[in-house]
Amino acid sequence: MRASRWPVLIWGFCFVGALWLAATELSIHSDLSDLLPEGTTNTQRLLLTQVRSGLAGRLILVAIEGAEPDELARLSRDLSKGLQGNAQIDFVGNGAQVLSSDERQLLFRLRYLLSSTLQADTFSADSLRGALEKRLDDLRSPLGLLIKEYIPSDPTGEFLGILQSWSEWEAPTKHREVWMSADLQRALLVVKTKAAGFDAEAQAAIQQHIQAVFQQVRKDSSLARLLLSGPGVFAVEIQQTIEQEIWWLSVTASLLVVVFLCVTYRSVTLMVLSLIPLTSGILAGLVAVNSWFGFVHGITLGFGITLLGVVDDYPIHLFSHLTRKESAQTTMRAIWPTMRLGIVTTAIGFSSLLLAGFPALAQLGLFAVAGLGTAAVVTRWVLPVCIPAGFAPREIRPDLGRLVDGLPKARIVVPVAVILATIVLIWSDTPLWQEDLEGLSPLSAEKKELDQHLRQELGAPDVRDLFVVEGTSVEALLMKAEAMMPRLEQLREGRVLSGYDIVSRYLPSHHVQQERLKALPEREVLKRNLDAAQKGLPFMPGLFAPFVTAVDEARSLPFIDRDTFRGTTLGMKLESLLFSHQDEWLAIVPLRGVLDRTQLATAAASWGDISVSYVDLKEESNRLMRAYRNRMMQLVGWGTIAITVSLAVGLGSITRLGPVLAPIGCALIVVVAVLKGSGESLSLFHVATFLLVIGLGLDYSLFFNRREGTEIERAKTVFGLLVCSTTTILVFGLLAFSKIPVLHAIGLTAACGSLCCLLFSGLMAQREATDA
């Protein structure tokens, strides 16, 4: 067997193995949290932890509209009842829910440890007299029947006071005992899921169940509509958008490239041969990413279609230089030094993404390096062996070389374009950088507006503002939270915020519990004070014996903690507000209706407690993205230096660097100006795509500056570059129409960059050609 056949056999074995791995081991994820970094600070790491699994992410906001208020109330009650049995749903709230019998009994038994109004004089004769008189007034009120059952054992009203204090928030309007919007046009519910908000598959199943139950209870209300919002709803929609985008982009891009190459080369054989490096590169990228990360994200898979516009450059260069007189191996050896230098410099550029510390970019970088490297190797050693002897796709017109040779005479176009681009950069009102992370979301403005509106109507946290309290233990943390409450009340009374939720409202520290137990009187003292308090009041003798017994028993109660309420509604509340993180205990204090964030941050700083910090999640997430963007800029800079050194070594001359690098630098300036002038600010992913533009530009520039021997060879090179650039622009131009901002950023930047690099490389090329 000829030695040249061995690469084909090795490739075939590896290809089948990679295909088997992709079919059996490949795991495609659409969970956006998989792309999130770990963060660079403790606050950012906490933020990302909450984004992945926090309470706010597990809330689904539900609204029913399109019917009369009474019918909406019925639908709300029936929907809530129908959702109660789902194992994936922790809680359904619509304003009509009450605690279970067991939970009420537990809280009632522990009321003296939980009551925030319990003081030393609560059980004095005067205080008891006032409490009993108030109970008489309560009995005459519409709530008399509800209160009557608690009077014998809780005449001071501790239990009902606890429930009232826990509901001190701006509750929605009620109609028929369920939550409604202020105009009674929507019934409102809140569903808390067991699954994290970014677990798109679990969230999709829960949302489908909600829809199915609603269809069952809707009955004759054919006009009633169900609206869902919240992080889990967004995660499902984003996953579906990604899957749909990947499908149509992949299919359309493939068809465009196939049709264009068929029209250009008029050869089915060429089309089949071009699939060899392309499929090899994509398979290698998928296997590499899946092996390293354990999964391939849908965004990365979408980026994989860009290899259609890059990997095809390698076989196109070979096809364009083929002649009937020389073998494909000979032609490949002639162009390989130039191609190799372009491949090495492109790989260096994409390697920078692996060091960015951002999972999304790391996956893109690994996919690109593995895919491009494999495609290059296959093009060099496998593809020439597969090309039939004497095969040449089509004749190239020699005058194409002369046409391009005249381009340097118009090189004044380059400085003029750079000057105009600089003017656009200076005068455009569009911010240079995309500072708002929401700008990267594919969600529509209508979806975001609906979510904000429902949050306002429900009084739910807006998933933005919170305090973070740190402590070395649960007890230390609870004491800090208790000390915070008066300060938070001052902020609420000063209209800096409209409300807050804090763990110490539900779980007092052991210190506070001990003080409350000390306030409980001896049995005989309580009986004496109670007898004095009820003189002249119409209460039956002995009515309050259960009260005396309850107080006496409460004096020996053990301290309560988080485990006391495990498995209850209160327990779930405590888990969302208090948790451990990296060997520390943290309490989250969600805020509602923050009107002045600057004043809030100033107030928090004035407390002088470094263990308490105010966090604006939106600003913190933007700060996180800025940090990674700056790091990416540094890596691009170092990558550019490494590329420059590699080029100097590969070209064997520093003086030849100028004609190769200058067009790329000018092209980047123009691309940034085009983006900014069209109203698009730069994001982290635009910066990452600059590496791709540099790689494409180097390929064009190196071949334009390649020392050809004859006019026909120059024509073949130019033809190949035109075909390469066109396929690249087609694929990335298509990507620019994606609804996913990340893919849109990559597509638009790369398409503009490819066009500018091709044009500027031709205008600024310097060749030392000697016609044969």
Side-chain angles (χ1 to χ4, degrees):
M1 182 179 294
R2 293 172 52 189
S4 60
R5 298 292 181 184
W6 280 107
V8 178
L9 292 177
I10 295 173
W11 165 80
F13 177 80
C14 293
F15 186 88
V16 172
L19 196 62
W20 179 80
L21 286 174
T24 58
E25 303 293 332
L26 189 63
S27 177
I28 306 295
H29 286 196
S30 297
D31 190 336
L32 291 183
S33 66
D34 290 334
L35 294 182
L36 295 177
E38 293 300 320
T40 58
T41 66
N42 286 334
T43 301
Q44 291 172 355
R45 284 188 282 271
L46 171 64
L47 158 65
L48 294 168
T49 299
Q50 287 299 295
V51 167
R52 290 183 174 99
S53 57
L55 170 66
R58 292 187 282 136
L59 291 181
I60 298 178
L61 311 182
V62 183
I64 306 173
E65 63 179 16
E68 294 299 319
D70 288 353
E71 178 63 11
L72 290 176
R74 180 195 70 79
L75 290 171
S76 174
R77 288 191 295 270
D78 291 350
L79 178 60
S80 175
K81 184 178 179 180
L83 296 177
Q84 296 292 340
N86 191 299
Q88 295 303 313
I89 295 177
D90 272 338
F91 172 76
V92 181
N94 70 344
Q97 282 71 32
V98 295
L99 296 170
S100 68
S101 175
D102 290 341
E103 289 176 325
R104 294 177 72 88
Q105 291 178 15
L106 176 63
L107 295 178
F108 190 76
R109 184 169 63 87
L110 301 175
R111 62 191 180 279
Y112 295 114
L113 292 175
L114 294 171
S115 176
S116 60
T117 59
L118 189 67
Q119 298 177 357
D121 67 342
T122 298
F123 302 97
S124 66
D126 290 340
S127 295
L128 287 173
R129 178 76 178 192
L132 293 178
E133 290 175 346
K134 190 173 188 308
R135 298 292 83 79
L136 287 174
D137 292 337
D138 291 339
L139 286 173
R140 301 185 188 100
S141 72
L143 299 177
L145 293 178
L146 174 64
I147 295 172
K148 183 177 180 179
E149 64 174 301
Y150 293 109
I151 289 180
S153 53
D154 188 24
T156 59
E158 305 302 330
F159 178 62
L160 295 179
I162 292 170
L163 298 183
Q164 183 179 5
S165 68
W166 287 357
S167 61
E168 286 182 355
W169 57 291
E170 191 176 347
T173 301
K174 275 194 174 184
H175 178 73
R176 300 289 187 183
E177 297 303 318
V178 299
W179 292 331
M180 302 282 283
S181 60
D183 58 5
L184 302 184
Q185 296 300 303
R186 285 175 176 167
L188 305 173
L189 302 92
V190 175
V191 176
K192 179 184 173 187
T193 66
K194 291 184 182 294
F198 275 91
D199 187 349
E201 292 185 3
Q203 288 289 334
I206 294 171
Q207 291 162 36
Q208 289 173 2
H209 178 69
I210 295 174
Q211 294 279 3
V213 173
F214 176 71
Q215 293 301 324
Q216 293 174 2
V217 304
R218 189 170 62 168
K219 298 179 181 177
D220 297 330
S221 302
S222 58
L223 297 179
R225 296 181 301 277
L226 185 69
L227 303 177
L228 302 179
S229 189
V233 178
F234 295 160
V236 173
E237 183 172 338
I238 290 173
Q239 180 189 47
Q240 293 173 348
T241 300
I242 290 175
E243 292 174 350
Q244 293 170 0
E245 290 281 295
I246 296 308
W247 169 251
W248 84 264
L249 285 172
S250 300
V251 172
T252 308
S254 301
L255 290 175
L256 283 175
V257 172
V258 168
V259 170
F260 174 74
L261 292 180
C262 283
V263 172
T264 302
Y265 288 105
R266 304 169 189 169
S267 172
V268 176
T269 301
L270 181 145
M271 283 307 311
V272 174
L273 292 173
S274 66
L275 293 176
I276 295 176
L278 175 61
T279 55
S280 300
I282 292 178
L283 272 178
L286 291 174
V287 171
V289 172
N290 194 74
S291 300
W292 184 264
F293 292 93
F295 67 95
V296 179
H297 198 275
I299 294 285
T300 305
L301 190 59
F303 179 77
I305 71 169
T306 64
L307 291 181
L308 291 168
V310 179
V311 170
D312 262 6
D313 288 5
Y314 305 150
I316 286 172
H317 284 309
L318 174 59
F319 297 151
S320 299
H321 285 83
L322 287 176
T323 65
R324 300 187 185 280
K325 298 179 181 179
E326 292 182 343
S327 65
Q329 291 93 328
T330 302
T331 302
M332 187 73 247
R333 284 193 292 270
I335 65 173
W336 177 243
T338 304
M339 184 183 295
R340 177 181 57 200
L341 189 55
I343 293 168
V344 170
T345 52
T346 302
I348 291 174
F350 276 112
S351 297
S352 302
L353 296 178
L354 298 174
L355 306 175
F358 201 101
L361 296 180
Q363 281 209 5
L364 297 183
L366 181 58
F367 193 100
V369 171
L372 296 177
T374 300
V377 170
V378 171
T379 302
R380 170 62 181 88
W381 282 282
V382 177
L383 188 59
V385 181
C386 299
I387 296 177
F391 173 80
R394 64 176 294 176
E395 294 294 329
I396 308 300
R397 294 174 54 184
D399 58 351
L400 187 59
R402 291 194 297 271
L403 176 64
V404 177
D405 285 341
L407 283 178
K409 297 176 182 179
R411 66 178 57 190
I412 188 63
V413 170
V414 179
V416 170
V418 172
I419 292 172
L420 292 175
T422 304
I423 294 174
V424 171
L425 290 173
I426 295 173
W427 291 103
S428 175
D429 294 332
T430 303
L432 180 61
W433 297 109
Q434 170 64 268
E435 300 287 351
D436 191 350
L437 185 59
E438 288 187 4
L440 299 178
S441 172
L443 294 172
S444 65
E446 291 77 11
K447 293 286 185 181
K448 297 176 184 177
E449 183 179 352
L450 173 63
D451 183 76
Q452 189 63 29
H453 191 60
L454 291 181
R455 288 185 182 281
Q456 291 174 352
E457 291 182 330
L458 281 161
D462 61 3
V463 204
R464 173 167 180 175
D465 302 285
L466 53 85
F467 279 107
V468 179
V469 187
E470 303 177 23
T472 56
S473 65
V474 174
E475 178 67 10
L477 194 60
L478 290 174
M479 293 180 68
K480 289 182 180 181
E482 288 163 350
M484 273 187 68
M485 291 189 69
R487 296 169 174 172
L488 292 171
E489 281 299 314
Q490 291 178 357
L491 293 174
R492 187 175 66 84
E493 293 170 0
R495 299 187 182 278
V496 178
L497 51 87
S498 63
Y500 62 91
D501 208 2
I502 190 168
V503 65
S504 54
R505 176 177 289 165
Y506 310 98
L507 180 63
S509 65
H510 288 180
H511 173 75
V512 169
Q513 292 180 55
Q514 186 175 30
E515 293 299 314
R516 291 174 182 172
L517 289 178
K518 288 180 180 180
L520 299 177
E522 297 284 348
R523 184 183 186 95
E524 293 304 319
V525 173
L526 179 59
K527 288 179 65 176
R528 185 169 56 251
N529 292 344
L530 186 59
D531 289 340
Q534 61 179 331
K535 285 182 179 179
L537 297 179
F539 291 108
M540 296 176 56
L543 176 66
F544 299 110
F547 168 55
V548 175
T549 301
V551 172
D552 188 50
E553 292 176 349
R555 295 175 66 248
S556 60
L557 284 174
F559 291 148
I560 57 177
D561 55 25
R562 295 168 69 245
D563 292 335
T564 304
F565 304 103
R566 191 173 299 279
T568 67
T569 303
L570 179 57
M572 291 185 290
K573 166 71 77 172
L574 295 176
E575 288 176 8
S576 69
L577 298 176
L578 176 69
F579 54 89
S580 60
H581 179 70
Q582 296 184 346
D583 299 326
E584 279 190 319
W585 283 96
L586 298 173
I588 300 298
V589 184
L591 307 177
R592 295 189 300 275
V594 175
L595 302 177
D596 191 335
R597 292 185 172 85
T598 302
Q599 185 176 349
L600 189 60
T602 302
S606 69
W607 297 343
D609 189 348
I610 60 174
S611 64
V612 177
S613 57
Y614 163 64
V615 179
D616 178 347
L617 294 185
K618 181 177 180 180
E619 177 57 32
E620 195 64 33
S621 62
N622 293 343
R623 187 180 296 116
L624 173 67
M625 293 302 293
R626 286 196 295 269
Y628 280 102
R629 182 196 68 206
N630 294 337
R631 182 174 179 178
M632 191 69 247
M633 290 291 290
Q634 294 175 354
L635 291 174
V636 169
W638 285 111
T640 302
I641 293 174
I643 288 172
T644 302
V645 173
S646 300
L647 280 174
V649 174
L651 294 173
S653 170
I654 296 180
T655 58
R656 296 180 62 190
L657 285 176
V660 174
L661 292 177
I664 301 170
C666 295
L668 288 176
I669 294 174
V670 173
V671 169
V672 173
V674 169
L675 293 172
K676 196 168 184 288
S678 62
E680 186 158 337
S681 300
L682 300 183
S683 70
L684 176 67
F685 296 95
H686 288 96
V687 175
T689 311
F690 289 160
L691 294 171
L692 178 60
V693 173
I694 292 173
L696 293 169
L698 284 172
D699 184 60
Y700 303 155
S701 192
L702 285 169
F703 271 97
F704 265 121
N705 286 275
R706 183 167 174 259
R707 297 179 178 181
E708 314 286 1
T710 64
E711 183 180 52
I712 187 60
E713 289 176 346
R714 290 199 299 276
K716 288 177 175 292
T717 295
V718 171
F719 181 79
L721 289 174
L722 289 174
V723 176
C724 288
S725 178
T726 303
T727 57
T728 299
I729 293 172
L730 282 175
V731 172
F732 284 105
L734 181 66
L735 210 63
F737 289 98
S738 173
K739 297 177 184 178
I740 303 173
V742 173
L743 297 182
H744 168 78
I746 293 172
L748 185 59
T749 305
C752 293
S754 176
L755 178 61
C756 292
C757 284
L758 178 72
L759 180 60
F760 292 176
S761 295
L763 291 170
M764 302 178 73
Q766 292 182 1
R767 288 181 292 273
E768 299 177 8
T770 56
D771 293 347

